[in-house]
Coordinates of all heavy atoms in Angstrom, one line a residue:
I1 N -98.2 -135.4 67.8 CA -97.9 -134.9 69.1 C -96.5 -135.2 69.4 O -96.0 -136.3 69.2 CB -98.8 -135.5 70.2 CG1 -100.3 -135.1 69.9 CG2 -98.4 -135.0 71.6 CD1 -101.3 -135.8 70.8
P2 N -95.7 -134.2 69.8 CA -94.2 -134.4 70.1 C -94.0 -135.5 71.1 O -94.8 -135.7 72.0 CB -93.8 -133.1 70.6 CG -94.7 -132.1 70.1 CD -96.1 -132.8 70.1
P3 N -92.9 -136.3 70.8 CA -92.7 -137.5 71.7 C -92.6 -137.1 73.2 O -93.0 -137.9 74.1 CB -91.3 -138.0 71.2 CG -91.3 -137.6 69.7 CD -92.0 -136.3 69.7
A4 N -92.0 -136.0 73.5 CA -91.9 -135.6 74.9 C -93.3 -135.4 75.5 O -93.5 -135.7 76.7 CB -91.1 -134.3 75.0
D5 N -94.2 -134.8 74.8 CA -95.6 -134.6 75.2 C -96.3 -136.0 75.4 O -97.0 -136.2 76.4 CB -96.4 -133.7 74.3 CG -95.9 -132.3 74.3 OD1 -95.2 -131.9 75.3 OD2 -96.2 -131.6 73.4
L6 N -96.0 -136.9 74.5 CA -96.6 -138.2 74.6 C -96.1 -138.9 75.8 O -96.9 -139.6 76.5 CB -96.3 -139.0 73.3 CG -97.0 -138.6 72.0 CD1 -96.5 -139.5 70.9 CD2 -98.5 -138.7 72.2
A7 N -94.8 -138.7 76.1 CA -94.3 -139.4 77.3 C -94.9 -138.9 78.6 O -95.1 -139.6 79.6 CB -92.8 -139.1 77.3
R8 N -95.3 -137.6 78.6 CA -96.0 -137.0 79.7 C -97.5 -137.5 79.8 O -98.1 -137.7 80.9 CB -96.0 -135.5 79.7 CG -94.6 -134.9 80.0 CD -94.7 -133.4 80.2 NE -95.0 -132.7 79.0 CZ -94.0 -132.3 78.2 NH1 -92.7 -132.5 78.5 NH2 -94.3 -131.6 77.1
M9 N -98.1 -137.8 78.7 CA -99.5 -138.2 78.6 C -99.6 -139.7 79.0 O -100.6 -140.1 79.6 CB -100.0 -138.0 77.2 CG -100.1 -136.5 76.8 SD -100.4 -136.3 75.0 CE -101.9 -137.2 74.8
Y10 N -98.6 -140.5 78.6 CA -98.7 -142.0 78.8 C -97.4 -142.5 79.5 O -96.3 -142.2 79.0 CB -98.9 -142.7 77.5 CG -100.1 -142.2 76.6 CD1 -99.8 -141.4 75.5 CD2 -101.4 -142.4 77.0 CE1 -100.9 -140.9 74.7 CE2 -102.4 -141.9 76.2 CZ -102.2 -141.1 75.1 OH -103.2 -140.6 74.3
D11 N -97.6 -143.2 80.6 CA -96.4 -143.8 81.3 C -95.7 -144.8 80.5 O -94.5 -145.0 80.7 CB -96.9 -144.4 82.6 CG -97.4 -143.3 83.6 OD1 -97.0 -142.1 83.4 OD2 -98.1 -143.7 84.5
S12 N -96.4 -145.5 79.6 CA -95.8 -146.6 78.9 C -96.7 -147.0 77.7 O -97.8 -146.5 77.6 CB -95.7 -147.9 79.8 OG -97.0 -148.3 80.1
P13 N -96.2 -147.8 76.7 CA -97.0 -148.2 75.6 C -98.3 -148.9 76.2 O -99.4 -148.8 75.6 CB -96.1 -149.1 74.8 CG -94.8 -148.6 75.1 CD -94.8 -148.2 76.5
K14 N -98.1 -149.7 77.2 CA -99.3 -150.4 77.8 C -100.3 -149.4 78.3 O -101.5 -149.6 78.1 CB -98.9 -151.4 78.9 CG -100.1 -152.1 79.5 CD -99.6 -153.1 80.6 CE -100.8 -153.9 81.1 NZ -102.0 -153.1 81.5
A15 N -99.9 -148.3 79.0 CA -100.8 -147.3 79.5 C -101.6 -146.7 78.3 O -102.8 -146.5 78.4 CB -100.1 -146.3 80.2
Y16 N -100.9 -146.5 77.2 CA -101.6 -145.9 76.0 C -102.6 -147.0 75.5 O -103.7 -146.6 75.2 CB -100.6 -145.6 74.9 CG -101.1 -145.4 73.6 CD1 -101.9 -144.3 73.2 CD2 -101.0 -146.5 72.6 CE1 -102.4 -144.2 71.9 CE2 -101.6 -146.4 71.4 CZ -102.3 -145.2 71.0 OH -102.8 -145.1 69.8
D17 N -102.1 -148.2 75.3 CA -103.0 -149.3 74.8 C -104.3 -149.4 75.7 O -105.4 -149.6 75.2 CB -102.3 -150.6 74.8 CG -101.5 -150.8 73.5 OD1 -101.9 -150.2 72.5 OD2 -100.6 -151.6 73.4
D18 N -104.1 -149.3 77.0 CA -105.2 -149.4 77.9 C -106.2 -148.3 77.7 O -107.4 -148.5 77.6 CB -104.8 -149.4 79.3 CG -104.1 -150.7 79.7 OD1 -104.2 -151.7 78.9 OD2 -103.4 -150.8 80.8
D19 N -105.7 -147.0 77.5 CA -106.5 -145.9 77.3 C -107.2 -146.0 76.0 O -108.4 -145.7 75.8 CB -105.7 -144.6 77.3 CG -105.3 -144.2 78.7 OD1 -105.7 -144.8 79.7 OD2 -104.5 -143.2 78.8
Y20 N -106.5 -146.5 75.0 CA -107.1 -146.6 73.6 C -108.2 -147.6 73.6 O -109.3 -147.4 73.1 CB -106.0 -147.0 72.6 CG -106.5 -147.0 71.2 CD1 -106.2 -145.9 70.4 CD2 -107.1 -148.1 70.6 CE1 -106.6 -145.9 69.0 CE2 -107.5 -148.1 69.3 CZ -107.3 -147.0 68.5 OH -107.7 -147.0 67.2
A21 N -108.0 -148.8 74.3 CA -109.0 -149.8 74.3 C -110.2 -149.3 75.1 O -111.4 -149.6 74.7 CB -108.4 -151.1 74.9
T22 N -110.0 -148.6 76.2 CA -111.1 -148.1 76.9 C -112.0 -147.1 76.1 O -113.2 -147.2 76.1 CB -110.6 -147.3 78.2 OG1 -109.9 -148.3 79.0 CG2 -111.8 -146.7 79.0
A23 N -111.3 -146.3 75.3 CA -112.0 -145.4 74.4 C -112.8 -146.1 73.3 O -113.9 -145.7 73.0 CB -111.0 -144.3 73.8
A24 N -112.2 -147.2 72.8 CA -112.8 -148.0 71.8 C -114.1 -148.6 72.3 O -115.2 -148.6 71.7 CB -111.9 -149.0 71.2
D25 N -114.0 -149.2 73.5 CA -115.2 -149.8 74.1 C -116.2 -148.8 74.5 O -117.4 -149.1 74.4 CB -114.7 -150.6 75.3 CG -113.9 -151.9 75.0 OD1 -114.1 -152.4 73.8 OD2 -113.1 -152.3 75.8
A26 N -115.8 -147.6 74.9 CA -116.8 -146.6 75.1 C -117.6 -146.2 73.9 O -118.8 -146.0 73.9 CB -116.1 -145.3 75.7
A27 N -116.9 -146.1 72.7 CA -117.5 -145.7 71.5 C -118.5 -146.9 71.0 O -119.6 -146.6 70.5 CB -116.5 -145.5 70.4
I28 N -118.1 -148.1 71.3 CA -118.9 -149.3 70.9 C -120.2 -149.3 71.9 O -121.3 -149.5 71.4 CB -118.1 -150.6 71.0 CG1 -117.1 -150.6 69.9 CG2 -119.1 -151.8 71.0 CD1 -116.1 -151.7 70.1
D29 N -120.0 -149.1 73.2 CA -121.1 -149.1 74.1 C -122.1 -148.0 73.8 O -123.3 -148.1 74.0 CB -120.6 -148.9 75.5 CG -119.8 -150.1 76.0 OD1 -120.0 -151.2 75.4 OD2 -119.1 -150.0 77.0
A30 N -121.6 -146.8 73.3 CA -122.4 -145.7 72.9 C -123.1 -145.9 71.5 O -123.9 -145.1 71.1 CB -121.6 -144.4 72.9
K31 N -122.7 -147.0 70.8 CA -123.3 -147.4 69.5 C -122.9 -146.5 68.4 O -123.6 -146.4 67.4 CB -124.9 -147.4 69.6 CG -125.4 -148.5 70.6 CD -126.9 -148.6 70.5 CE -127.4 -149.7 71.4 NZ -128.8 -149.9 71.4
F32 N -121.8 -145.8 68.6 CA -121.2 -145.0 67.5 C -120.2 -145.7 66.7 O -119.7 -145.3 65.7 CB -120.7 -143.7 68.0 CG -121.7 -142.7 68.6 CD1 -121.6 -142.3 69.9 CD2 -122.8 -142.3 67.8 CE1 -122.5 -141.5 70.5 CE2 -123.8 -141.5 68.4 CZ -123.6 -141.1 69.7
V33 N -119.8 -146.9 67.2 CA -118.9 -147.8 66.5 C -119.5 -149.2 66.7 O -120.1 -149.5 67.8 CB -117.5 -147.8 67.1 CG1 -116.6 -148.9 66.5 CG2 -116.8 -146.4 66.8
L34 N -119.4 -150.1 65.7 CA -120.0 -151.4 65.8 C -119.0 -152.4 66.5 O -117.8 -152.3 66.3 CB -120.2 -152.0 64.4 CG -121.3 -151.2 63.6 CD1 -121.3 -151.7 62.2 CD2 -122.6 -151.2 64.2
K35 N -119.6 -153.3 67.3 CA -118.7 -154.3 67.9 C -118.0 -155.1 66.9 O -116.9 -155.6 67.1 CB -119.6 -155.2 68.8 CG -118.9 -156.2 69.7 CD -119.8 -156.9 70.6 CE -119.0 -157.9 71.5 NZ -119.9 -158.7 72.4
D36 N -118.6 -155.3 65.7 CA -118.0 -156.1 64.7 C -116.7 -155.4 64.2 O -115.8 -156.1 63.6 CB -118.9 -156.2 63.4 CG -120.1 -157.1 63.7 OD1 -120.1 -157.8 64.7 OD2 -121.0 -157.0 62.9
D37 N -116.5 -154.1 64.5 CA -115.3 -153.4 64.0 C -114.3 -153.2 65.1 O -113.3 -152.5 64.9 CB -115.7 -152.0 63.5 CG -116.4 -152.1 62.1 OD1 -115.9 -152.9 61.3 OD2 -117.3 -151.3 61.8
R38 N -114.5 -153.8 66.3 CA -113.6 -153.6 67.4 C -112.2 -154.0 67.0 O -111.2 -153.3 67.3 CB -114.0 -154.3 68.6 CG -113.2 -154.0 69.9 CD -113.6 -154.7 71.1 NE -112.9 -154.2 72.3 CZ -111.6 -154.5 72.7 NH1 -111.0 -155.4 71.9 NH2 -111.1 -154.0 73.7
E39 N -112.0 -155.2 66.4 CA -110.7 -155.6 66.1 C -110.0 -154.7 65.1 O -108.8 -154.3 65.3 CB -110.7 -157.0 65.4 CG -109.4 -157.6 65.1 CD -109.5 -159.0 64.5 OE1 -110.6 -159.6 64.6 OE2 -108.5 -159.5 64.0
A40 N -110.7 -154.2 64.1 CA -110.1 -153.2 63.2 C -109.8 -151.9 63.8 O -108.7 -151.3 63.5 CB -111.0 -153.0 62.0
L41 N -110.6 -151.5 64.7 CA -110.4 -150.2 65.4 C -109.2 -150.3 66.4 O -108.3 -149.5 66.4 CB -111.6 -149.9 66.3 CG -111.6 -148.5 67.0 CD1 -111.4 -147.4 66.0 CD2 -112.9 -148.3 67.8
I42 N -109.1 -151.5 67.1 CA -107.9 -151.7 68.0 C -106.6 -151.7 67.2 O -105.6 -151.3 67.6 CB -108.1 -152.9 68.8 CG1 -109.2 -152.8 69.8 CG2 -106.8 -153.3 69.5 CD1 -109.0 -151.7 70.9
A43 N -106.7 -152.3 66.0 CA -105.5 -152.4 65.1 C -104.9 -151.0 64.7 O -103.8 -151.0 64.3 CB -105.8 -153.2 63.9
E44 N -105.7 -150.0 64.8 CA -105.2 -148.6 64.5 C -104.5 -148.0 65.6 O -104.0 -146.9 65.5 CB -106.4 -147.8 64.0 CG -107.0 -148.2 62.7 CD -107.9 -147.2 62.1 OE1 -108.1 -146.1 62.7 OE2 -108.3 -147.4 60.9
A45 N -104.4 -148.6 66.8 CA -103.6 -148.1 67.9 C -102.1 -148.0 67.5 O -101.7 -148.8 66.7 CB -103.8 -148.9 69.1
Q46 N -101.4 -147.1 68.1 CA -100.0 -146.9 67.7 C -99.1 -146.9 68.9 O -98.4 -145.8 69.2 CB -99.8 -145.6 66.9 CG -100.6 -145.5 65.6 CD -100.5 -144.2 64.9 OE1 -99.4 -143.8 64.4 NE2 -101.6 -143.5 64.8
P47 N -99.0 -148.0 69.7 CA -98.2 -148.0 70.9 C -96.7 -147.8 70.6 O -95.9 -147.4 71.5 CB -98.4 -149.4 71.5 CG -98.9 -150.2 70.3 CD -99.6 -149.3 69.4
D48 N -96.2 -148.0 69.4 CA -94.8 -147.8 69.1 C -94.5 -146.3 69.1 O -93.3 -146.0 69.1 CB -94.5 -148.4 67.7 CG -95.4 -147.8 66.6 OD1 -96.6 -147.7 66.8 OD2 -94.8 -147.4 65.5

């Protein structure tokens, strides 16, 4: 996604990280991702 579009989608790297973590926890709560894999899933975030 172009950087300009990402800037409109997320106010900051922290805002992105928060959205990503919320989505990860939603997938875990729905049982489509294992809690054991949360750390590995979070590690795939790209706030940079």
Side-chain angles (χ1 to χ4, degrees):
I1 298 173
D5 292 342
L6 290 177
R8 287 190 290 270
M9 293 165 60
Y10 308 106
D11 293 338
S12 64
K14 182 181 184 305
Y16 162 77
D17 272 338
D18 289 345
D19 286 355
Y20 187 97
T22 297
D25 289 333
I28 292 168
D29 289 345
K31 297 185 177 180
F32 296 122
V33 173
L34 297 172
K35 188 175 181 180
D36 290 347
D37 285 324
R38 187 181 189 278
E39 182 178 349
L41 184 59
I42 293 296
E44 293 196 355
Q46 301 178 64
D48 58 314

